[in-house]
Amino acid sequence: MKRSLALPLAAALTATALGDMATQRFTANIAPGGGGAIARFDLATLGGGTKVLRAKLVPLIKIGGVALDEPLVIQALDKDGETAVGKPLELAPPRFVTFDATEVAQQWALGKLANRGLLIRGAPSELRRACLDITFEGEPKDPPPRATGLKALYRAGQVFLTWNEVNCPFAGKEVVLWKELKADLDRIRGSDGPVTTYRIYRHTKPITRQTIAQAELVDEVGQHSAFDEREIKTEWKGEQIKNVRVPEAPVPRIAVEEKAELPIGTGVWATTCRKDGDFYYAVVATVDGVENTAALYAGNTAGPLHEKVAPTEPIFFREQPLQYEKRAQHCYVWWLDPPLANLPSFIHLSVSPPAKEAEGPKALFIYNWWWGSGWNRAAQYPMAEAVGFVIDQNCMQTRGVHDGYGTLKAWSQGKVQGWFVRQFRALLPWLKAKYGVDDDRLFALSSGWAWQYPDLFAAAFECTTMNMKRSPAGPECKRYWGDPQKPAPTEWGVSAWEQWNAPEWIRSNPTVELPLITYAPRMHTGDFGILDKPPLYRALLDTKRAWSACFGEGPLIGHKDPDWMFELRRSDSVAAFGNCSLDDSPGIGFGGDPGGQMNAWLAFEPRTQVDAADRWEMTLYLVAGDKRGRNAAPLDACTADVTPRRCQRFKASPGAKFAWTNTSVADGKVVQTGSAVADQWGLVTAPKVVISKGKNRLVIQRAK
């Protein structure tokens, strides 16, 4: 979703000549009518009885980052020129910016349906032009220069094609500045002058002039596909404008092989293999409606490639130092397509091994909570022993994005999907094999997404907003989820606005176990607001979760001394604290204690716990501060309710009876005893347990 090789619509997926075939572009005369717009095409030059092989309709609509409010419904008109007939045209994969008009064009050519045009309903008001590209049996005329230098590579379940672009204005240059690239991209999008694209064909036989008619047209790529716009240097222009690309900044290129940035003037295409076998490819240049398939030779055809379906892997690009830590950052490019992304694309990710290599499996700390590249050198990893990990991030997209983003799909024609976490799941086996990651020790600095994945994370250190409906960031999420009053379908079966309303979701699912959760606003209270925080804390407290929070800006993690949390395993049980006598007031969206906390002085020892069928034990304590006495709890002892959560073996039925004992670790003396009854959710709570800096051992066991 971050980066696409998407063809600008102005390029119109234009007409081509295909050896014994040719394609002609017909530009529509568009006028209002029929409850929409009527696009009429003069096909006189096509000739009656022409054998049509393929046709595409390209409505020239500006593609943005938002799905269409209503579907584009396109149908042929009957002979009366007013009544729509036949089934609507379908959007064509893989980019979903054109419509398959083959059947209609064939009927027109054979005289089975009068050519009265197409009725287009649901089109945005900016629709001013549409093109119909019809491929038919014929001879190519005035073909453009052919693509040259085609190279094909199979690697880890993917195919990569690179070639020398034709008509490239930057050919021979060593550096291209952003202002130069932007000027030509603007020209292409405005159809100002010749527009060059490249059609990608695949076949099980060598592709020649005689066989290309049977080859599969799998994609079309625009000019300048190797440039990496995401990595252009930016300048901060303030909260309302944020980062702006520097006009004089050089534009880097992407890679398909390790440590090999593609040269300027190179075209690139990648796809994930769907079937084992041997395949041939051709890249055919197209300029303003003419495709050069008359010259198919070794420079623009390749194969066979021996392809095999396999997990894909990132491509190592470079190593660089982190900005704030003494460890290296390994920068990778990862090429994606469905089901790992909604469109063919590539993303950036980085892995930072620990500065001191240790034996055995390692924890993984994911730093994905803000806007930034996966090669962000400012990433911070509070776990010195953990592998650090970053993927291209937009903190409003990590929860999910509609698959119509960047296409001509409407909200109703797709659904919101969790691409980000899907990518991480797919990459986890590679991280384990390459970097020795322990999948029982995954931690995330998260922008409101990791808390929903207890099957992945031992702890989720949350920040930003936890309920978009009550956040200044809510309007941005409309671009990805639809309007809250008319939300888009989702992969979860409920509105994304409800799925990611953390306070309400947590309250409505009290028996669903979650990672240990902390919350800290970092430095962005103004960006994300505070109205959603008190309901979050209340829901966590009422459903007896393991959590803590710091109200003030600054800390990376919402706890006064979080190092103990890094000992957690996903398979561990946890101690959930509630009603701590040291808690401050979060207010109700205003008021409260601005620099306060809840549960942020409390800790437990996960490595000495006992989680047995009839017994649960945990050592609890108040943080005493670091070696210099900083971040110590203000008192030597406090009280808090304690509930075992995430237990693997210690289970209770509602109404079951238990006894508990609190013993001082310092002197072995029993401090408290009591009894407890499992609540309606099967949770057992020891109330008002004394917890001290000297540590306390809490034992809960079934009553005899």
Short mmCIF file of all heavy atoms in Angstrom, two decimals, residues 368-421:
data_model
loop_
_atom_site.label_atom_id
_atom_site.label_comp_id
_atom_site.label_asym_id
_atom_site.label_seq_id
_atom_site.Cartn_x
_atom_site.Cartn_y
_atom_site.Cartn_z
N ASN A 368 6.97 0.62 15.33
CA ASN A 368 6.02 1.09 14.31
C ASN A 368 4.89 1.83 14.98
O ASN A 368 3.89 1.24 15.39
CB ASN A 368 5.48 -0.09 13.48
CG ASN A 368 6.41 -0.45 12.35
OD1 ASN A 368 7.40 -1.14 12.57
ND2 ASN A 368 6.12 0.02 11.16
N TRP A 369 5.05 3.13 15.09
CA TRP A 369 4.04 3.92 15.80
C TRP A 369 3.83 5.30 15.20
O TRP A 369 3.00 6.06 15.67
CB TRP A 369 4.47 4.08 17.26
CG TRP A 369 5.64 5.03 17.44
CD1 TRP A 369 6.95 4.74 17.23
CD2 TRP A 369 5.57 6.40 17.81
NE1 TRP A 369 7.71 5.85 17.45
CE2 TRP A 369 6.90 6.88 17.82
CE3 TRP A 369 4.54 7.27 18.15
CZ2 TRP A 369 7.21 8.20 18.14
CZ3 TRP A 369 4.86 8.58 18.48
CH2 TRP A 369 6.18 9.03 18.48
N TRP A 370 4.53 5.67 14.14
CA TRP A 370 4.48 7.04 13.66
C TRP A 370 4.51 7.03 12.15
O TRP A 370 4.45 5.98 11.51
CB TRP A 370 5.67 7.83 14.25
CG TRP A 370 5.58 9.32 14.10
CD1 TRP A 370 6.50 10.13 13.49
CD2 TRP A 370 4.54 10.19 14.54
NE1 TRP A 370 6.09 11.44 13.55
CE2 TRP A 370 4.89 11.51 14.18
CE3 TRP A 370 3.33 9.98 15.21
CZ2 TRP A 370 4.08 12.61 14.46
CZ3 TRP A 370 2.53 11.07 15.49
CH2 TRP A 370 2.91 12.36 15.12
N TRP A 371 4.60 8.18 11.52
CA TRP A 371 4.79 8.27 10.08
C TRP A 371 6.29 8.18 9.79
O TRP A 371 7.09 8.88 10.42
CB TRP A 371 4.26 9.59 9.53
CG TRP A 371 2.78 9.72 9.51
CD1 TRP A 371 1.94 9.28 8.53
CD2 TRP A 371 1.95 10.33 10.50
NE1 TRP A 371 0.64 9.58 8.85
CE2 TRP A 371 0.62 10.24 10.05
CE3 TRP A 371 2.18 10.96 11.71
CZ2 TRP A 371 -0.47 10.73 10.77
CZ3 TRP A 371 1.11 11.45 12.43
CH2 TRP A 371 -0.20 11.34 11.96
N GLY A 372 6.67 7.36 8.86
CA GLY A 372 8.08 7.28 8.54
C GLY A 372 8.42 6.08 7.69
O GLY A 372 7.61 5.18 7.48
N SER A 373 9.64 6.09 7.20
CA SER A 373 10.13 5.00 6.36
C SER A 373 10.58 3.84 7.22
O SER A 373 10.97 4.00 8.37
CB SER A 373 11.30 5.51 5.51
OG SER A 373 12.00 4.43 4.92
N GLY A 374 10.57 2.66 6.62
CA GLY A 374 11.12 1.50 7.28
C GLY A 374 12.62 1.59 7.47
O GLY A 374 13.21 0.76 8.17
N TRP A 375 13.26 2.58 6.83
CA TRP A 375 14.69 2.81 7.00
C TRP A 375 14.95 3.98 7.95
O TRP A 375 16.00 4.63 7.88
CB TRP A 375 15.35 3.08 5.66
CG TRP A 375 15.27 1.93 4.71
CD1 TRP A 375 14.85 0.65 4.98
CD2 TRP A 375 15.63 1.93 3.33
NE1 TRP A 375 14.91 -0.13 3.87
CE2 TRP A 375 15.39 0.63 2.83
CE3 TRP A 375 16.13 2.89 2.46
CZ2 TRP A 375 15.63 0.28 1.50
CZ3 TRP A 375 16.38 2.55 1.14
CH2 TRP A 375 16.13 1.26 0.66
N ASN A 376 14.01 4.26 8.82
CA ASN A 376 14.11 5.39 9.74
C ASN A 376 15.27 5.19 10.71
O ASN A 376 15.23 4.33 11.58
CB ASN A 376 12.79 5.52 10.50
CG ASN A 376 12.81 6.65 11.52
OD1 ASN A 376 13.73 7.47 11.55
ND2 ASN A 376 11.79 6.71 12.35
N ARG A 377 16.30 6.00 10.59
CA ARG A 377 17.49 5.86 11.45
C ARG A 377 17.23 6.32 12.88
O ARG A 377 18.04 6.05 13.78
CB ARG A 377 18.65 6.66 10.86
CG ARG A 377 19.19 6.11 9.55
CD ARG A 377 20.36 6.93 9.02
NE ARG A 377 21.42 7.01 10.01
CZ ARG A 377 21.88 8.15 10.53
NH1 ARG A 377 21.35 9.31 10.17
NH2 ARG A 377 22.86 8.14 11.41
N ALA A 378 16.12 7.00 13.10
CA ALA A 378 15.82 7.49 14.45
C ALA A 378 15.09 6.47 15.30
O ALA A 378 14.69 6.77 16.43
CB ALA A 378 14.98 8.77 14.36
N ALA A 379 14.90 5.26 14.79
CA ALA A 379 14.23 4.22 15.58
C ALA A 379 14.98 3.98 16.89
O ALA A 379 16.21 4.02 16.94
CB ALA A 379 14.16 2.92 14.78
N GLN A 380 14.19 3.76 17.96
CA GLN A 380 14.78 3.56 19.29
C GLN A 380 14.30 2.22 19.85
O GLN A 380 13.11 1.92 19.80
CB GLN A 380 14.37 4.69 20.23
CG GLN A 380 14.81 6.07 19.75
CD GLN A 380 14.24 7.17 20.62
OE1 GLN A 380 14.52 7.24 21.81
NE2 GLN A 380 13.45 8.04 20.02
N TYR A 381 15.25 1.47 20.42
CA TYR A 381 14.94 0.15 20.95
C TYR A 381 15.37 0.07 22.41
O TYR A 381 16.57 -0.07 22.69
CB TYR A 381 15.65 -0.93 20.11
CG TYR A 381 15.29 -0.87 18.65
CD1 TYR A 381 16.23 -0.51 17.68
CD2 TYR A 381 14.00 -1.15 18.22
CE1 TYR A 381 15.89 -0.45 16.34
CE2 TYR A 381 13.64 -1.09 16.88
CZ TYR A 381 14.60 -0.74 15.95
OH TYR A 381 14.26 -0.67 14.62
N PRO A 382 14.44 0.18 23.35
CA PRO A 382 14.80 0.16 24.77
C PRO A 382 15.30 -1.19 25.25
O PRO A 382 15.83 -1.30 26.35
CB PRO A 382 13.49 0.53 25.46
CG PRO A 382 12.42 0.12 24.50
CD PRO A 382 12.99 0.36 23.15
N MET A 383 15.15 -2.23 24.44
CA MET A 383 15.64 -3.56 24.78
C MET A 383 16.99 -3.78 24.08
O MET A 383 17.05 -4.07 22.88
CB MET A 383 14.65 -4.63 24.33
CG MET A 383 13.28 -4.52 24.97
SD MET A 383 12.12 -5.74 24.29
CE MET A 383 12.87 -7.28 24.86
N ALA A 384 18.08 -3.63 24.84
CA ALA A 384 19.40 -3.74 24.25
C ALA A 384 19.64 -5.13 23.67
O ALA A 384 20.37 -5.29 22.69
CB ALA A 384 20.47 -3.41 25.29
N GLU A 385 19.01 -6.15 24.26
CA GLU A 385 19.24 -7.52 23.83
C GLU A 385 18.32 -7.95 22.69
O GLU A 385 18.45 -9.07 22.17
CB GLU A 385 19.05 -8.48 25.00
CG GLU A 385 17.60 -8.73 25.42
CD GLU A 385 17.00 -7.64 26.30
OE1 GLU A 385 17.58 -6.53 26.37
OE2 GLU A 385 15.95 -7.90 26.91
N ALA A 386 17.41 -7.10 22.28
CA ALA A 386 16.41 -7.47 21.28
C ALA A 386 16.85 -7.08 19.88
O ALA A 386 17.59 -6.12 19.67
CB ALA A 386 15.07 -6.82 21.60
N VAL A 387 16.35 -7.81 18.90
CA VAL A 387 16.46 -7.42 17.50
C VAL A 387 15.43 -6.32 17.25
O VAL A 387 14.26 -6.44 17.64
CB VAL A 387 16.18 -8.63 16.58
CG1 VAL A 387 16.16 -8.20 15.12
CG2 VAL A 387 17.21 -9.72 16.81
N GLY A 388 15.86 -5.22 16.64
CA GLY A 388 14.94 -4.13 16.31
C GLY A 388 14.38 -4.30 14.91
O GLY A 388 15.05 -4.81 14.01
N PHE A 389 13.14 -3.85 14.71
CA PHE A 389 12.47 -4.09 13.43
C PHE A 389 11.52 -2.95 13.12
O PHE A 389 10.76 -2.49 13.98
CB PHE A 389 11.69 -5.40 13.51
CG PHE A 389 10.93 -5.76 12.27
CD1 PHE A 389 11.59 -6.14 11.11
CD2 PHE A 389 9.55 -5.72 12.25
CE1 PHE A 389 10.89 -6.47 9.97
CE2 PHE A 389 8.83 -6.06 11.11
CZ PHE A 389 9.51 -6.44 9.97
N VAL A 390 11.56 -2.46 11.87
CA VAL A 390 10.67 -1.39 11.41
C VAL A 390 10.20 -1.70 10.00
O VAL A 390 11.00 -2.14 9.15
CB VAL A 390 11.38 -0.01 11.39
CG1 VAL A 390 10.39 1.09 11.02
CG2 VAL A 390 12.01 0.30 12.73
N ILE A 391 8.91 -1.51 9.73
CA ILE A 391 8.36 -1.55 8.37
C ILE A 391 7.84 -0.15 8.06
O ILE A 391 7.46 0.60 8.95
CB ILE A 391 7.19 -2.56 8.26
CG1 ILE A 391 7.65 -3.97 8.61
CG2 ILE A 391 6.61 -2.56 6.86
CD1 ILE A 391 6.55 -5.01 8.48
N ASP A 392 7.84 0.22 6.75
CA ASP A 392 7.20 1.47 6.35
C ASP A 392 5.93 1.67 7.14
O ASP A 392 5.09 0.76 7.23
CB ASP A 392 6.83 1.44 4.86
CG ASP A 392 7.98 1.82 3.96
OD1 ASP A 392 8.95 2.42 4.44
OD2 ASP A 392 7.91 1.51 2.76
N GLN A 393 5.75 2.87 7.68
CA GLN A 393 4.65 3.04 8.60
C GLN A 393 3.91 4.36 8.39
O GLN A 393 4.49 5.37 8.06
CB GLN A 393 5.17 2.97 10.03
CG GLN A 393 6.30 3.96 10.31
CD GLN A 393 6.90 3.75 11.66
OE1 GLN A 393 6.19 3.65 12.64
NE2 GLN A 393 8.21 3.71 11.73
N ASN A 394 2.64 4.28 8.54
CA ASN A 394 1.75 5.42 8.71
C ASN A 394 0.87 5.00 9.87
O ASN A 394 0.13 4.02 9.78
CB ASN A 394 0.93 5.66 7.45
CG ASN A 394 -0.11 6.74 7.63
OD1 ASN A 394 -0.74 6.85 8.67
ND2 ASN A 394 -0.32 7.55 6.61
N CYS A 395 0.97 5.71 10.98
CA CYS A 395 0.33 5.22 12.20
C CYS A 395 -1.18 5.13 12.09
O CYS A 395 -1.83 4.50 12.93
CB CYS A 395 0.72 6.10 13.39
SG CYS A 395 0.24 7.82 13.24
N MET A 396 -1.77 5.74 11.06
CA MET A 396 -3.21 5.59 10.86
C MET A 396 -3.54 4.41 9.95
O MET A 396 -4.69 4.06 9.78
CB MET A 396 -3.79 6.89 10.27
CG MET A 396 -3.59 8.13 11.12
SD MET A 396 -4.43 8.02 12.73
CE MET A 396 -3.05 7.71 13.81
N GLN A 397 -2.52 3.82 9.31
CA GLN A 397 -2.76 2.71 8.40
C GLN A 397 -2.43 1.35 9.00
O GLN A 397 -2.80 0.32 8.43
CB GLN A 397 -1.93 2.89 7.12
CG GLN A 397 -2.35 4.07 6.26
CD GLN A 397 -1.54 4.15 4.98
OE1 GLN A 397 -0.54 3.46 4.81
NE2 GLN A 397 -1.96 5.01 4.07
N THR A 398 -1.72 1.33 10.12
CA THR A 398 -1.30 0.05 10.67
C THR A 398 -2.47 -0.82 11.11
O THR A 398 -2.36 -2.04 11.17
CB THR A 398 -0.36 0.27 11.87
OG1 THR A 398 -0.91 1.28 12.73
CG2 THR A 398 1.01 0.71 11.41
N ARG A 399 -3.60 -0.22 11.43
CA ARG A 399 -4.78 -0.99 11.82
C ARG A 399 -5.44 -1.66 10.63
O ARG A 399 -5.93 -2.78 10.73
CB ARG A 399 -5.78 -0.10 12.54
CG ARG A 399 -5.27 0.53 13.83
CD ARG A 399 -6.25 1.63 14.26
NE ARG A 399 -5.89 2.26 15.52
CZ ARG A 399 -5.08 3.30 15.64
NH1 ARG A 399 -4.52 3.82 14.56
NH2 ARG A 399 -4.81 3.83 16.83
N GLY A 400 -5.48 -0.97 9.50
CA GLY A 400 -6.11 -1.53 8.32
C GLY A 400 -6.41 -0.46 7.29
O GLY A 400 -6.60 0.71 7.63
N VAL A 401 -6.48 -0.86 6.02
CA VAL A 401 -6.77 0.04 4.91
C VAL A 401 -7.70 -0.68 3.94
O VAL A 401 -7.54 -1.88 3.68
CB VAL A 401 -5.47 0.46 4.19
CG1 VAL A 401 -5.77 1.34 2.98
CG2 VAL A 401 -4.53 1.20 5.14
N HIS A 402 -8.62 0.06 3.39
CA HIS A 402 -9.55 -0.51 2.40
C HIS A 402 -8.78 -0.91 1.15
O HIS A 402 -7.87 -0.20 0.70
CB HIS A 402 -10.63 0.51 2.05
CG HIS A 402 -11.77 -0.05 1.27
ND1 HIS A 402 -11.76 -0.10 -0.11
CD2 HIS A 402 -12.95 -0.59 1.66
CE1 HIS A 402 -12.90 -0.65 -0.53
NE2 HIS A 402 -13.64 -0.95 0.52
N ASP A 403 -9.14 -2.04 0.56
CA ASP A 403 -8.38 -2.51 -0.60
C ASP A 403 -8.69 -1.71 -1.87
O ASP A 403 -8.07 -1.92 -2.91
CB ASP A 403 -8.56 -4.01 -0.84
CG ASP A 403 -10.01 -4.43 -0.96
OD1 ASP A 403 -10.83 -3.61 -1.42
OD2 ASP A 403 -10.33 -5.57 -0.60
N GLY A 404 -9.60 -0.76 -1.78
CA GLY A 404 -9.84 0.15 -2.90
C GLY A 404 -8.93 1.36 -2.90
O GLY A 404 -8.99 2.18 -3.82
N TYR A 405 -8.07 1.47 -1.89
CA TYR A 405 -7.14 2.59 -1.79
C TYR A 405 -6.22 2.61 -3.01
O TYR A 405 -5.54 1.65 -3.32
CB TYR A 405 -6.32 2.42 -0.51
CG TYR A 405 -5.40 3.57 -0.15
CD1 TYR A 405 -5.89 4.70 0.49
CD2 TYR A 405 -4.04 3.50 -0.41
CE1 TYR A 405 -5.05 5.74 0.85
CE2 TYR A 405 -3.19 4.53 -0.06
CZ TYR A 405 -3.70 5.65 0.56
OH TYR A 405 -2.86 6.68 0.92
N GLY A 406 -6.25 3.73 -3.77
CA GLY A 406 -5.41 3.84 -4.96
C GLY A 406 -5.97 3.18 -6.19
O GLY A 406 -5.25 2.95 -7.17
N THR A 407 -7.27 2.85 -6.19
CA THR A 407 -7.91 2.18 -7.32
C THR A 407 -9.22 2.90 -7.66
O THR A 407 -9.54 3.94 -7.08
CB THR A 407 -8.23 0.71 -7.00
OG1 THR A 407 -9.37 0.65 -6.14
CG2 THR A 407 -7.05 0.02 -6.32
N LEU A 408 -9.99 2.31 -8.56
CA LEU A 408 -11.33 2.81 -8.88
C LEU A 408 -12.42 1.97 -8.22
O LEU A 408 -13.58 2.01 -8.64
CB LEU A 408 -11.54 2.85 -10.40
CG LEU A 408 -10.75 3.93 -11.15
CD1 LEU A 408 -11.04 3.87 -12.64
CD2 LEU A 408 -11.06 5.32 -10.61
N LYS A 409 -12.07 1.22 -7.20
CA LYS A 409 -13.08 0.50 -6.45
C LYS A 409 -13.87 1.45 -5.56
O LYS A 409 -13.34 2.46 -5.08
CB LYS A 409 -12.44 -0.56 -5.56
CG LYS A 409 -11.89 -1.78 -6.27
CD LYS A 409 -11.36 -2.79 -5.25
CE LYS A 409 -10.81 -4.02 -5.91
NZ LYS A 409 -10.31 -5.01 -4.89
N ALA A 410 -15.10 1.10 -5.30
CA ALA A 410 -15.92 1.82 -4.33
C ALA A 410 -15.81 1.13 -2.98
O ALA A 410 -15.35 -0.01 -2.87
CB ALA A 410 -17.38 1.87 -4.77
N TRP A 411 -16.22 1.83 -1.93
CA TRP A 411 -16.19 1.25 -0.58
C TRP A 411 -16.89 -0.11 -0.54
O TRP A 411 -16.42 -1.05 0.09
CB TRP A 411 -16.84 2.20 0.42
CG TRP A 411 -16.11 3.49 0.65
CD1 TRP A 411 -16.51 4.73 0.27
CD2 TRP A 411 -14.85 3.66 1.32
NE1 TRP A 411 -15.59 5.68 0.65
CE2 TRP A 411 -14.57 5.05 1.30
CE3 TRP A 411 -13.95 2.79 1.92
CZ2 TRP A 411 -13.41 5.57 1.88
CZ3 TRP A 411 -12.80 3.31 2.49
CH2 TRP A 411 -12.54 4.68 2.46
N SER A 412 -18.02 -0.20 -1.25
CA SER A 412 -18.82 -1.43 -1.21
C SER A 412 -18.20 -2.56 -2.02
O SER A 412 -18.64 -3.71 -1.91
CB SER A 412 -20.24 -1.15 -1.72
OG SER A 412 -20.20 -0.69 -3.07
N GLN A 413 -17.18 -2.27 -2.82
CA GLN A 413 -16.59 -3.29 -3.69
C GLN A 413 -15.33 -3.92 -3.10
O GLN A 413 -14.65 -4.69 -3.77
CB GLN A 413 -16.25 -2.67 -5.06
CG GLN A 413 -17.48 -2.28 -5.86
CD GLN A 413 -17.11 -1.57 -7.14
OE1 GLN A 413 -16.45 -0.53 -7.14
NE2 GLN A 413 -17.51 -2.15 -8.26
N GLY A 414 -15.05 -3.61 -1.87
CA GLY A 414 -13.89 -4.19 -1.21
C GLY A 414 -14.10 -4.18 0.28
O GLY A 414 -15.23 -4.06 0.77
N LYS A 415 -13.02 -4.28 1.02
CA LYS A 415 -13.12 -4.27 2.47
C LYS A 415 -11.82 -3.77 3.09
O LYS A 415 -10.76 -3.81 2.47
CB LYS A 415 -13.45 -5.67 3.00
CG LYS A 415 -12.44 -6.75 2.65
CD LYS A 415 -12.93 -8.12 3.11
CE LYS A 415 -11.96 -9.22 2.69
NZ LYS A 415 -12.44 -10.56 3.09
N VAL A 416 -11.93 -3.31 4.30
CA VAL A 416 -10.76 -2.90 5.07
C VAL A 416 -10.02 -4.16 5.52
O VAL A 416 -10.64 -5.08 6.08
CB VAL A 416 -11.16 -2.04 6.28
CG1 VAL A 416 -9.92 -1.63 7.08
CG2 VAL A 416 -11.94 -0.81 5.84
N GLN A 417 -8.72 -4.19 5.27
CA GLN A 417 -7.93 -5.36 5.62
C GLN A 417 -6.68 -4.95 6.39
O GLN A 417 -6.11 -3.89 6.15
CB GLN A 417 -7.52 -6.13 4.37
CG GLN A 417 -8.71 -6.61 3.53
CD GLN A 417 -8.29 -7.55 2.43
OE1 GLN A 417 -7.59 -8.53 2.67
NE2 GLN A 417 -8.72 -7.27 1.21
N GLY A 418 -6.24 -5.82 7.27
CA GLY A 418 -5.06 -5.55 8.09
C GLY A 418 -3.79 -5.95 7.38
O GLY A 418 -3.11 -6.90 7.77
N TRP A 419 -3.41 -5.19 6.37
CA TRP A 419 -2.23 -5.53 5.56
C TRP A 419 -0.96 -5.54 6.39
O TRP A 419 -0.10 -6.41 6.22
CB TRP A 419 -2.08 -4.52 4.41
CG TRP A 419 -3.32 -4.28 3.62
CD1 TRP A 419 -4.16 -3.22 3.72
CD2 TRP A 419 -3.87 -5.13 2.60
NE1 TRP A 419 -5.20 -3.34 2.84
CE2 TRP A 419 -5.05 -4.50 2.13
CE3 TRP A 419 -3.48 -6.33 2.04
CZ2 TRP A 419 -5.83 -5.05 1.12
CZ3 TRP A 419 -4.25 -6.88 1.04
CH2 TRP A 419 -5.42 -6.24 0.59
N PHE A 420 -0.83 -4.56 7.26
CA PHE A 420 0.41 -4.39 8.01
C PHE A 420 0.72 -5.63 8.85
O PHE A 420 1.83 -6.19 8.79
CB PHE A 420 0.30 -3.15 8.90
CG PHE A 420 1.47 -2.92 9.80
CD1 PHE A 420 2.62 -2.34 9.32
CD2 PHE A 420 1.43 -3.29 11.13
CE1 PHE A 420 3.71 -2.13 10.14
CE2 PHE A 420 2.51 -3.09 11.97
CZ PHE A 420 3.66 -2.51 11.47
N VAL A 421 -0.23 -6.10 9.63
CA VAL A 421 0.01 -7.27 10.47
C VAL A 421 0.11 -8.52 9.61
O VAL A 421 0.88 -9.44 9.93
CB VAL A 421 -1.10 -7.40 11.53
CG1 VAL A 421 -0.99 -8.72 12.28
CG2 VAL A 421 -1.00 -6.24 12.52
#
